[in-house]
Amino acid sequence: MAKSAPGTAGLPLLGDKSYEFYKNPVKFLMKRMADNKSRVFLTRFLNKPTVFVGSNKVVHELLNEHSDKLELGYKQFMEEIYGENILFTDGDFSTGLRDALSELFTVDAIKTYQSDIDRIVKNAIKDILTGAPVCIYMLFKKLAIEICLSLFLGLDFSQSDASLVTDLTVTHWHGIISVPVAVKIPMMNETTYSKALDAKRKLLEVINERRKEKCHQFPQHVERLPNFSDVLVNNHLLLFTSALIPKALSSILTSFMIEIGSEVGNQNMLLEDPDLLERYLLEVVRLYPPFLGGRRIIREEVICGGFRFPAGHALLYMTYAAHRDPDVFDQPDAFMPERWSQHNKNDQDKLFTLGAGPRQCIGEQLVWTIIKTVINELLRGYTVKLLPDQDLAYKWLPVSRPKGNVLVTFQGRNSNSLSRSLYPDTVDKPKGEYL
Ligand code: HEM
């Protein structure tokens, strides 16, 4: 018979553990899983009884087989900042939106974006600073923003208005991490939130202008999707150009460079062997998923993995913990790309970096295309060396990345590399510009 998840939801407000979670989410998870002797446990989060799920098997089953009984749990926090879009819909409406949007991200559609991605990446990478320390996260974040704003809005980064739009996406993003919810969470600030709403308004103006100019194809493709009202077109362009996606791309690229930056010898092999690169990437996103997890509201009772998930509760599927579940991954905390050609050869569906099941990320193919283009281009031009003795500790929220400015040096593979940088100020970048 199915049992309730161990743990307690405590009293409303008083029993809420959101603050503890936000302060150190990984410690919170590890401690609760150990105390409850279970990778599935109950607590109160965002003032709602919430089942946390860190068991790989249970996450897999919930997302793939019980998705029809779950609703996405983001509306409450993000709808005002983003406006109505697929992330805040469920049932037939979300299926319709997904079917339509997926057309924009098929393998064939992505082939049409490849030349733009190549051009932007080549242009940024040819000018990389060699021989001097570069903050790798900042470099990738800037590049990822340029890729997303160019692909989805056709912005030209040789023009100054592109950097104004970039600034707006940063201010807009700050609204997500300062969102006013019933339970006060760290980072919350109402002035920041109202600035974010103002940035949203301005971004929608930019999106409208770009649509009217008809000079770039992507917005027109979105306009032509069946049953997409004007508002839906705008809101989805806002979602795709928001800072969330570049931050996630930059997170993966940064984690990858940290893993390969200590052994320059491996970099040649990665360049020559796409399967090896694949295994490295799988291992990077296993250990360092950009998003710690995802949230659902349980619409109808679910029985899964021997547990009862009551209707009305929330659930958090914890990608971080599921990816380090020793039942699936031997030596779960070790970076072992070889596991993907041995023990875990057929376990790619046990990674939830891009979600899973009917609500899996629709940008998946595009994500890998961008990541691989950047890595291949970078390794073709340079060897990368991680500077020694750096603090590589991670922060996991809202998007994972090293806490500090991790520094690397690039060495040109041929003497034509310029000692000039597109990012001349990467080392001492003003803190205020961090997303
Ligand atoms: C490294 C970059 C990315 C990461 C890590 C990522 C991750 C995710 C995850 C984990 C989900 C599922 C959320 C859940 O289960 O609650 C998701 C959904 C989604 N992603 Fe991505 N994503 C990335 C890039 C993109 C890109 C490039 C696009 C499109 C331009 C995109 C569009 C979407 C959409 C529309 C959904 C919602 C799908 C639905 O609700 O049915 N993502 N993403």
Side-chain angles (χ1 to χ4, degrees), residues 74 98 105 240 245 296 317 353-355 359 361-362 367:
Y74 309 112
R98 257 190 91 89
F105 301 102
F240 298 154
I245 292 174
R296 298 285 187 274
Y317 71 86
T353 316
L354 295 150
R359 303 306 295 262
C361 179
I362 58 168
V367 168

Side-chain angles (χ1 to χ4, degrees), residues 182-212:
V183 175
K184 299 268 175 194
I185 55 173
M187 303 180 280
M188 178 179 145
N189 178 327
E190 270 155 38
T191 317
T192 313
Y193 190 72
S194 54
K195 279 190 192 155
L197 289 178
D198 192 45
K200 172 190 167 189
R201 191 180 48 73
K202 290 180 180 147
L203 281 169
L204 287 172
E205 277 168 21
V206 172
I207 287 169
N208 264 320
E209 275 164 29
R210 302 300 296 169
R211 284 179 60 191
K212 270 195 216 124

Side-chain angles (χ1 to χ4, degrees), residues 73-117:
Y74 309 112
K75 199 175 163 112
Q76 181 192 356
F77 320 105
M78 306 203 308
E79 195 182 25
E80 198 176 13
I81 283 288
Y82 278 117
E84 185 187 28
N85 70 42
I86 185 169
L87 273 179
F88 314 128
T89 62
D90 288 284
D92 290 347
F93 191 39
S94 75
T95 310
L97 291 179
R98 257 190 91 89
D99 288 348
L101 286 167
S102 299
E103 261 182 48
L104 304 170
F105 301 102
T106 59
V107 173
D108 282 343
I110 288 163
K111 280 186 193 149
T112 67
Y113 312 144
Q114 184 73 57
S115 61
D116 277 341
I117 300 173

Side-chain angles (χ1 to χ4, degrees), residues 373-385:
T373 306
V374 173
I375 290 174
N376 280 315
E377 201 55 46
L378 203 54
L379 295 184
R380 262 199 289 272
Y382 306 90
T383 53
V384 189
K385 199 158 185 265

Side-chain angles (χ1 to χ4, degrees), residues 4-33:
S4 301
T8 168
L11 292 173
L13 289 174
L14 285 178
D16 192 78
K17 302 294 177 209
S18 306
Y19 181 75
E20 206 181 321
F21 176 79
Y22 281 108
K23 212 166 64 180
N24 189 337
V26 167
K27 190 171 159 201
F28 178 92
L29 270 179
M30 293 308 158
K31 181 170 178 340
R32 290 282 187 304
M33 289 196 299

Side-chain angles (χ1 to χ4, degrees), residues 66-245:
H66 299 286
S67 156
D68 57 331
K69 300 186 192 105
L70 308 172
E71 286 173 3
L72 259 60
Y74 309 112
K75 199 175 163 112
Q76 181 192 356
F77 320 105
M78 306 203 308
E79 195 182 25
E80 198 176 13
I81 283 288
Y82 278 117
E84 185 187 28
N85 70 42
I86 185 169
L87 273 179
F88 314 128
T89 62
D90 288 284
D92 290 347
F93 191 39
S94 75
T95 310
L97 291 179
R98 257 190 91 89
D99 288 348
L101 286 167
S102 299
E103 261 182 48
L104 304 170
F105 301 102
T106 59
V107 173
D108 282 343
I110 288 163
K111 280 186 193 149
T112 67
Y113 312 144
Q114 184 73 57
S115 61
D116 277 341
I117 300 173
D118 285 345
R119 179 181 48 77
I120 296 161
V121 173
K122 278 198 170 85
N123 190 42
I125 279 175
K126 77 174 166 39
D127 284 349
I128 243 168
L129 179 69
T130 54
V134 171
C135 171
I136 191 83
Y137 176 78
M138 293 301 292
L139 185 146
F140 287 138
K141 192 189 70 184
K142 198 163 177 172
L143 176 55
I145 288 175
E146 183 171 344
I147 293 172
C148 290
L149 287 176
S150 308
L151 278 189
F152 301 131
L153 285 187
L155 285 194
D156 176 354
F157 273 69
S158 61
Q159 307 292 315
S160 61
D161 59 347
S163 70
L164 293 178
V165 179
T166 303
D167 291 347
L168 285 176
T169 64
V170 174
T171 312
H172 178 239
W173 165 257
H174 287 153
I176 298 169
I177 53 181
S178 63
V179 75
V181 287
V183 175
K184 299 268 175 194
I185 55 173
M187 303 180 280
M188 178 179 145
N189 178 327
E190 270 155 38
T191 317
T192 313
Y193 190 72
S194 54
K195 279 190 192 155
L197 289 178
D198 192 45
K200 172 190 167 189
R201 191 180 48 73
K202 290 180 180 147
L203 281 169
L204 287 172
E205 277 168 21
V206 172
I207 287 169
N208 264 320
E209 275 164 29
R210 302 300 296 169
R211 284 179 60 191
K212 270 195 216 124
E213 284 167 18
K214 295 198 184 300
C215 55
H216 187 63
Q217 286 201 336
F218 191 87
Q220 291 175 56
H221 288 321
V222 184
E223 281 173 16
R224 283 198 289 266
L225 295 177
N227 303 321
F228 264 61
S229 64
D230 238 27
V231 172
L232 280 177
V233 172
N234 283 348
N235 288 349
H236 283 88
L237 288 169
L238 182 70
L239 175 67
F240 298 154
T241 48
S242 109
L244 189 68
I245 292 174

